[in-house]
Structures are given as C-alpha cells and as structure tokens.
Amino acid sequence: MSISINMVVTDTITETDYLVLWIAPDGSYGYWHNLSSSSRTPVKFIAAEVNADIANGKYETDIYAVQLRPENTLSVKERAYRDKNWDLIRPIIEKEPDIYERSQRPQLLQSVSERSGIKINNIYALLDRYWRSGKSKNGLLPQYSNCGAKGKPRKNCSKKPGVKAQSGKPLSDVDCKNFERTIRKYYLTRQKRSLKSTYERLLQDFYSQKSDNGKLKLLEPTKMPTFWQFQYWYYTNFDIVSEKKARDGEKEFELSSRAVLGKSDYGMMGPGAQFQVDATVGDVYLLSQFDHSSIIGRPVLYFILDAFSRMVVGMSVGLEGPSWSAMAAAITNMASNKVSFCKQYGIEITESEWPCHHVPASLLGDRGELESKNADTLVNMFGIRVINAPPYRADLKGIIEQHFRTINTNAVALLPGSVKPDISKRGGLDYRLDAQLDIRQFTQIIIKCVLYYNNYHYMESFEKSEAMMATGVESIPLKLWEWGIENCSGALRPFPEEIVKFAVLPTANATVTEKGIRFKGLYYCCDRARAELWFEKARAKKYWSITVSYNPRDMSDIYTWDDDSKRYDICYLLDWNSKNAGKTLAEIVYEQQKERLEGKRLKATAIEAKVNLNSEIDSIVAEAKQMSEPAAAKSNRERVSSIRENRTSERTMIQDGRLVAESPESRNLAPNLPQNKSKEELSPRLRMIKEKLEEEQKND
C-alpha cells in the first residue's frame, strides 16, 4: 500500500506518528509532520523508502480523522476567528512545496509578517495548527478549552488595558452595553456611517451632559472610553460578515461580498487534482417499488468524475430534483468503499475494479448546489477548493457532459420506458406506458454501466501526455487512474466515510416530545436524550426544537450535535417505528401520503355507515314509542312500583326461551295492535306479539 496525503504513518518501534502533508507529482518524495512531538517543522521523506518500510512492517498506516465541526454548529465569533487566521496564512500555504522547504519558508513568513504586523512566531503557530489538523481550515478554530472556565467573564482590572494607559477609563459592563447599543443604532445601518463618526455618537448619547447654556459638554477624559477602546471592542465582538450584511443588505452581500471559494489553477495534474460533478435527468420513466402499476416519473442522476483519468469516482440515483441533498449522496459515495456499495445492490466486485474512495484537491460544478452555503463545509473541514464555472460556460466541465451523453446514448436509450422523440406526433406511441423498471433495478443497470465505462471504455479522443505515450498506457479510465497513482500521485486524500457522510448531510429542525424526537412523522431516541430526561421534561413543560442531520437515503438514524462535547449523537428509531428502518425519505413520505388518502376514504365510509346507523336507531326508537303508548293509561307510581317483579318475570321467561312475557302489560298490547293490517304489513316485533297472543287465545 503506497502512502497518500492525509495518511498517518506510525513508526512501530518508536510509536511516532507522522501526518503526510504533501507528495511530489512524480511520487519520489514528500513532507510529513511529526504529531508526536512539539516540533513545528515539516520533515522531508523519500517515498520509496517509506513504502518499503510499510511493506516490511516497520511502518503502519491509517487514515487521519479530521476534526468534525459542521459549519452550522459554529458560532459567529468562532467563524470570524477562523476566517481571520485563514486569510492571514492562505497566501503562503498554497505555495507548495516552498512552504515546507527550510530555505524558502523564512521569506514567506517574513512577507506575511510585514504585511500584517504579526510576529513570525505567531504565524508559525497558525501553520502548525493547520498542518496538524490535516490541512483543514477548521484547524484554525479558537481553542476555548485551553482558555479557562467556560462562561465565566473576565474580572475588571484596576488598570485599564491597552497601550495608552494614561488616558481613558477601565471598561465596565455598562460601557460595553453602551458600545453595543451605539453600534447597532448608528453603524450597522444602510447609512454606512464610519466607525469614528459612530464613536462621536457614543459620546453624545452616553458620555456628555447639558451645560447651563444648553450645549453638550463631554465628561472628563478619565470618565470616557477612548476611540481605541471602542474600536478594539468592536473588532473583538463583531464579525465582518454581520457588518456587511447589515450595511449593504443580504442580497448585495451574497452577490458581491461573499467569499470566493478556491482557485481554478490550484493543484497539480494527477488523480484527485480536480473532480467534476453534475446532475442530469435520466431519459427513462420508472415504476414504483411498492406498486408496479404506478409510474413515478424520471430519475435524477449525479456523477462525479476525475478530470485527469475520466474515472467515475462517485454517483447517485434518486427521485429528488437537483439539490444539495441529492449531491450530498454522490459526495458520500465518492468517499465510500465501492465494494460494499455495489453489494447493497447485489453486485459483487473487487477493490481493483473500482478503487475510488478519496477526497479531491478541488471540485468543479456549474453554479448550482456548490454555490450554496452548504458547500462551505467541504472547504472548511476537508480543504477542498470549490470551483464554480461561470454562466453559459458548460465547456469548462465538458468531461462530465460527455459522460452523460455516453450513458444516455449507450444504455438508457435502450431501456423500456425511455424517452422517444415522436410522442408529440399524431399517432405516436406514449413511451411512458412502456415503463417496466423501478429505481432499484435502474440503479443496478447504472452501476454496471459505470463499471463497464471505468474498466473497458476506450476514449479515442483522449489526449495523452508525453509521459503517457512513453509508457504506452491505454486510454481507459482505470488504466489512466492507476498510471496517475503511480506516476503523478499527490492530490488524493482518503477520509473516513462516516465523517464525510455526516459533514454533507442536510439539516432540519426536529421536535422533542414526550413520545420521542419527532422528525418527518417518525420518532427517534438517543442515549443523551434518555440520560438528560428530555422526554420527561417535554411532557412536564413544553416541546422544543433541535437541529438534526439526516440521510434522505436511509432514515434509520438521524444525528444531533452536542456543543459541549463537540460530538454528534446517533438517534435511532423507536421500536414501534422500526418498520421504517432502511427506507428512504421519499418512500416514507409516499407511505404517509398513501395512509392519509386511505384514512380519508375510510373516514368517508365511516360517516356514511354512521348516518345509516342513526337512521336505523331512529326507526327502532319510533317503534318502541308506538309500543309503549298503552303504558300511558297507568299512573307513574303504579309503573315504578312493579319494576322488581317485572324484571324477575322477564328474566325467567328469557331463560325459558319465551320471547313475550305473559304479563298484563304484554296482554294489554292486543287492543292496541293495528286491526286493519295483515301480519306481513306489521313490523317484526308487532308481528311476533300478535302471533303469540293469537296462540294464547287459541289455547284458552
């Protein structure tokens, strides 16, 4: 196994860990950082020697676990601190390998120091943190755990901090509140007032008093904060993003002031130097997995290709329109093991048939999902340079566009239900009715197409380099990938699949209830929720919302973030909801909608049955009223006094199997029976009574 960037190499004898930072394009040498010592200097290594030591067991390798901090869990202050440090060192960290060379590094550090006024030793400390974090931008986040007790304010000092201690006053909590009110009232507005002018308003509102002539007079200098104190407080407590949005407006900020991620000319040529990603709608109609008589429309395909070798390194097939959640599935697949991925669809392959599970140096898109704020996580956690092609410049990612044409022409066009151009013609057949595949079967076909493309597709128009022509490498994606790994390695970086997956998952709000964590109509639980009695609190007080990350392709688990431990908790489906384990969000929504429609239908049927029930009850009650009319001849006292005897007599006759009691009450029904109606015209109850009376009269 050869080494790659972001790999940890451990010396089994000394137990020293080295993190690989950079590898030369020809793979001959590189630089790594000693994680087991406090040294801030990267060390050069010879790749052939290291690979030999790995083979003989002297060295062991592992994937470096990058610091997991999703962008939506960071505070404004943390992001401002990180971005400030990042802007400071970014001009020199991109100058590889000069930044690692002992002879070149001092000049680079000196240039940053002269420009920023920061000491070289402090810049060196930032570089060390960046390298130790696996060249992750999030390695520059503030380390508050090393700065004393959390949440405890700094006590006021008797001596005012700052350079000019002879003027101004020690700041109190009241002064800080005055600063904040003034900033929000005068500075963070569309008037774009200067900070100096805002300071003057501060003095006018809070540090002046009216004199006898009606004019304002400032307080003594020792009772007023200085402009330098005011300015320092502002830059410490407010970030440039909030300022720009408040002073220019959200639209203007997103249009002209948002950070530009990455540079298109960054990185070396070789596998992983640049991946290209795009989506297309498949030219075929699919059926539902639950009901093959239901046509569900056309699928959306995402592919990620390596620009150097044309290798397909990631893919996804779904029903969601082009969106970040759909692209996230492709990015997760990009970093995942393809053997286990194919096995989920019943396809057995070896590692050598699809050896792609890496993160690239840069990712090129077309101003779609990669232009959203969700892509910031790729930059800040994994150091990926995100590049967006300008409008109307699809030619910049022609590699993946050509792949779409290959897939649609050679595979999709031959499938049942594929889109035909003659549907609009008079008498043309409706190709949608020819659909026979569901989304799982279609995904199996696309996987097989990708395997064929990677392993056997010959690219006639591929322009080989001089080195490729010298070695005679074939113009097949897998062959070019393997040749690039051997001769141009250095840009590919492996990351644990679970970390990549969690980093790109979409987020949404869930509700904590007494029944569990409710999300998308499902109920979840986690160990932290049980330990902290979330559900008991929700029942005793009220519900509250939490932010969760979820995988639309598998709703078995969702994830919650713990700000205290800086870790995520896995929330699992409750037992009575386990029927939804392994299902996609689209499947669950489909089932829920189906249940709602079924409920509406059954509810309408139930209402109709209830109407008929009420009608039947009304007819029985009317008949009972007619039969009870002879009782009106008796007094109320007489009727009530014989309840016990009547009950005993009724019970005895029921036990004997007789239907009509031989009591004066039943006999008194005879004169009230309709005399002018035949038995067939009477109700069943009256007919029964009349027959019984006739039988008794005959016996008498």
Side-chain angles (χ1 to χ4, degrees):
M1 179 180 181
S2 60
I3 58 175
S4 60
I5 294 177
N6 206 54
M7 181 176 286
V8 177
V9 180
T10 303
D11 189 323
T12 57
I13 299 175
T14 62
E15 297 184 354
T16 304
D17 294 330
Y18 300 96
L19 177 62
V20 180
L21 300 177
W22 182 82
I23 299 176
D26 60 1
S28 59
Y29 72 99
Y31 287 91
W32 59 23
H33 205 43
N34 191 335
L35 300 180
S36 302
S37 73
S38 58
S39 173
R40 297 176 176 178
T41 305
V43 180
K44 187 176 182 179
F45 64 85
I46 304 301
E49 296 177 359
V50 174
N51 289 328
D53 289 335
I54 293 175
N56 60 34
K58 180 182 177 182
Y59 287 150
E60 294 180 351
T61 61
D62 194 7
I63 298 175
Y64 181 73
V66 69
Q67 183 182 7
L68 184 59
R69 288 301 305 275
E71 196 69 13
N72 58 0
T73 66
L74 300 177
S75 65
V76 172
K77 189 174 181 180
E78 286 176 315
R79 286 197 295 269
Y81 182 91
R82 177 198 64 194
D83 295 343
K84 179 181 177 182
N85 291 332
W86 172 252
D87 292 338
L88 182 67
I89 67 173
R90 181 171 58 178
I92 59 174
I93 62 174
E94 293 178 350
K95 295 181 179 179
E96 297 176 317
D98 292 350
I99 189 62
Y100 307 120
E101 298 282 354
R102 185 181 296 272
S103 59
Q104 301 290 335
R105 190 166 48 249
Q107 291 86 344
L108 296 175
L109 296 176
Q110 183 65 34
S111 64
V112 174
S113 178
E114 292 175 354
R115 185 180 68 254
S116 63
I118 298 177
K119 295 181 179 180
I120 291 180
N121 193 44
N122 294 337
I123 301 172
Y124 225 138
L126 293 176
L127 286 175
D128 181 57
R129 287 170 56 186
Y130 174 71
W131 288 330
R132 288 179 182 273
S133 66
K135 297 168 68 174
S136 170
K137 184 178 175 181
N138 278 357
L140 303 175
L141 286 168
Q143 299 174 336
Y144 292 134
S145 58
N146 301 330
C147 301
K150 177 183 177 181
K152 294 184 179 180
R154 189 178 298 174
K155 296 181 180 179
N156 289 330
C157 303
S158 58
K159 181 179 179 181
K160 180 187 73 65
V163 178
K164 299 181 180 180
Q166 69 277 9
S167 61
K169 57 169 292 190
L171 297 182
S172 64
D173 292 339
V174 175
D175 295 317
C176 294
K177 290 181 180 179
N178 293 340
F179 290 176
E180 183 174 2
R181 291 173 187 169
T182 305
I183 287 292
R184 297 191 183 280
K185 183 177 180 180
Y186 297 108
Y187 189 71
L188 300 181
T189 64
R190 299 294 180 88
Q191 295 178 355
K192 298 186 179 181
R193 193 187 302 270
S194 67
L195 203 60
K196 186 72 173 180
S197 175
T198 305
Y199 171 71
E200 294 169 357
R201 291 288 182 172
L202 168 74
L203 300 182
Q204 175 183 328
D205 290 351
F206 299 104
Y207 300 97
S208 63
Q209 56 187 5
K210 281 190 176 183
S211 59
D212 296 337
N213 58 6
K215 294 184 178 181
L216 293 177
K217 182 177 179 60
L218 296 179
L219 301 180
E220 297 178 7
T222 56
K223 296 182 179 180
M224 292 190 308
T226 65
F227 173 71
W228 301 108
Q229 287 177 294
F230 177 67
Q231 179 178 313
Y232 175 81
W233 180 91
Y234 169 73
Y235 285 127
T236 304
N237 292 276
F238 282 84
D239 64 286
I240 190 172
V241 174
S242 300
E243 174 191 332
K244 279 286 187 182
K245 288 183 177 180
R247 291 164 67 86
D248 299 338
E250 184 81 21
K251 284 187 177 180
E252 180 65 22
F253 172 82
E254 295 296 337
L255 180 64
S256 60
S257 299
R258 187 168 179 262
V260 179
L261 307 179
K263 294 169 59 181
S264 60
D265 59 350
Y266 175 82
M268 67 212 75
M269 276 305 296
Q274 184 184 99
F275 286 174
Q276 296 184 3
V277 59
D278 201 5
T280 188
V281 179
D283 291 337
V284 63
Y285 279 80
L286 302 180
L287 303 178
S288 168
Q289 296 185 76
F290 308 100
D291 181 7
H292 264 227
S293 64
S294 300
I295 302 174
I296 61 174
R298 298 160 64 180
V300 176
L301 288 74
Y302 270 87
F303 289 108
I304 303 178
L305 268 71
D306 174 46
F308 175 82
S309 63
R310 312 301 198 260
M311 186 87 160
V312 177
V313 296
M315 58 160 286
S316 72
V317 180
L319 299 177
E320 311 97 331
S323 61
W324 173 255
S325 61
M327 178 178 281
I331 293 174
T332 302
N333 180 259
M334 173 188 75
S336 65
N337 182 278
K338 301 305 188 297
V339 176
S340 57
F341 167 68
C342 292
K343 192 173 183 180
Q344 296 175 7
Y345 291 90
I347 301 174
E348 298 290 338
I349 66 170
T350 62
E351 175 70 22
S352 60
E353 292 180 81
W354 201 353
C356 307
H357 48 82
H358 306 85
V359 168
S362 63
L363 188 62
L364 174 66
D366 61 350
R367 300 175 59 84
E369 299 82 357
L370 289 181
E371 201 172 37
S372 70
K373 295 180 181 179
N374 295 310
D376 290 347
T377 298
L378 299 178
V379 177
N380 300 327
M381 281 188 60
F382 306 115
I384 300 175
R385 271 69 177 180
V386 174
I387 307 168
N388 284 296
Y392 311 109
R393 290 297 307 277
D395 57 296
L396 292 182
K397 53 181 184 58
I399 297 171
I400 198 166
E401 298 287 353
Q402 179 61 39
H403 177 71
F404 283 140
R405 287 192 289 272
T406 301
I407 290 291
N408 279 327
T409 302
N410 298 336
V412 177
L414 306 177
L415 300 178
S418 60
V419 175
K420 302 295 190 300
D422 60 346
I423 186 174
S424 59
K425 295 182 180 180
R426 186 173 183 179
L429 297 177
D430 191 346
Y431 50 75
R432 295 172 295 186
L433 301 177
D434 296 333
Q436 297 178 8
L437 300 171
D438 59 34
I439 191 170
R440 178 177 176 83
Q441 295 164 339
F442 180 73
T443 304
Q444 290 174 324
I445 292 174
I446 295 300
I447 291 175
K448 290 183 177 294
C449 290
V450 168
L451 291 172
Y452 163 78
Y453 173 86
N454 284 344
N455 290 270
Y456 303 104
H457 178 66
Y458 175 71
M459 298 178 290
E460 295 182 1
S461 59
F462 182 81
E463 290 290 337
K464 295 182 182 179
S465 66
E466 185 176 351
M468 291 178 181
M469 296 177 67
T471 56
V473 62
E474 299 173 350
S475 299
I476 296 174
L478 180 61
K479 301 295 184 181
L480 294 171
W481 174 275
E482 293 174 344
W483 185 91
I485 294 292
E486 183 177 352
N487 297 278
C488 306
S489 180
L492 289 174
R493 294 173 297 157
F495 281 95
E497 179 182 348
E498 284 301 316
I499 290 181
V500 177
K501 175 182 175 181
F502 181 77
V504 299
L505 288 181
T507 59
N509 288 331
T511 304
V512 179
T513 72
E514 74 275 8
K515 294 182 179 180
I517 302 172
R518 185 176 65 222
F519 181 67
K520 302 294 184 182
L522 307 178
Y523 287 85
Y524 297 84
C525 182
C526 66
D527 296 337
R528 182 159 66 100
R530 290 184 183 275
E532 297 178 3
L533 305 178
W534 285 9
F535 311 127
E536 290 82 355
K537 293 176 182 177
R539 185 172 186 178
K541 298 179 181 179
K542 61 179 181 179
Y543 301 168
W544 70 90
S545 296
I546 59 173
T547 301
V548 299
S549 300
Y550 65 99
N551 181 9
R553 304 302 176 95
D554 186 357
M555 296 296 289
S556 301
D557 301 317
I558 60 176
Y559 309 88
T560 62
W561 182 260
D562 184 4
D563 286 326
D564 294 331
S565 64
K566 305 303 179 187
R567 296 182 178 274
Y568 64 88
D569 295 291
I570 301 177
C571 302
Y572 48 86
L573 282 169
L574 292 172
D575 291 340
W576 58 277
N577 250 194
S578 59
K579 64 180 181 181
N580 297 297
K583 292 185 178 180
T584 67
L585 180 59
E587 291 173 331
I588 292 172
V589 171
Y590 174 86
E591 289 292 332
Q592 290 173 344
Q593 292 176 345
K594 183 178 177 181
E595 287 293 325
R596 282 195 290 268
L597 292 175
E598 184 69 9
K600 289 181 179 179
R601 185 185 67 81
L602 295 176
K603 189 175 181 180
T605 304
I607 293 176
E608 182 179 346
K610 185 67 176 294
V611 170
N612 290 323
L613 173 62
N614 292 336
S615 176
E616 293 172 358
I617 291 175
D618 291 342
S619 64
I620 294 174
V621 171
E623 181 181 323
K625 287 182 178 179
Q626 183 181 1
M627 295 174 62
S628 62
E629 289 178 358
K634 293 183 178 181
S635 65
N636 293 340
R637 181 181 181 85
E638 184 179 359
R639 294 181 63 194
V640 173
S641 61
S642 58
I643 290 178
R644 181 173 296 179
E645 292 80 2
N646 294 341
R647 180 182 180 86
T648 303
S649 177
E650 182 80 9
R651 186 171 62 248
T652 302
M653 285 186 287
I654 290 174
Q655 292 173 352
D656 293 343
R658 288 181 287 175
L659 300 177
V660 181
E662 295 182 2
S663 61
E665 289 77 3
S666 64
R667 295 182 182 275
N668 289 338
L669 289 174
N672 294 281
L673 290 174
Q675 301 298 322
N676 56 346
K677 291 186 178 182
S678 63
K679 292 181 181 180
E680 290 73 14
E681 295 176 328
L682 297 175
S683 66
R685 178 69 174 169
L686 294 178
R687 190 185 309 126
M688 177 188 64
I689 295 174
K690 186 171 184 179
E691 290 175 351
K692 186 66 177 178
L693 292 175
E694 289 176 352
E695 183 180 354
E696 290 178 352
Q697 291 175 358
K698 183 178 179 180
N699 292 335
D700 292 341

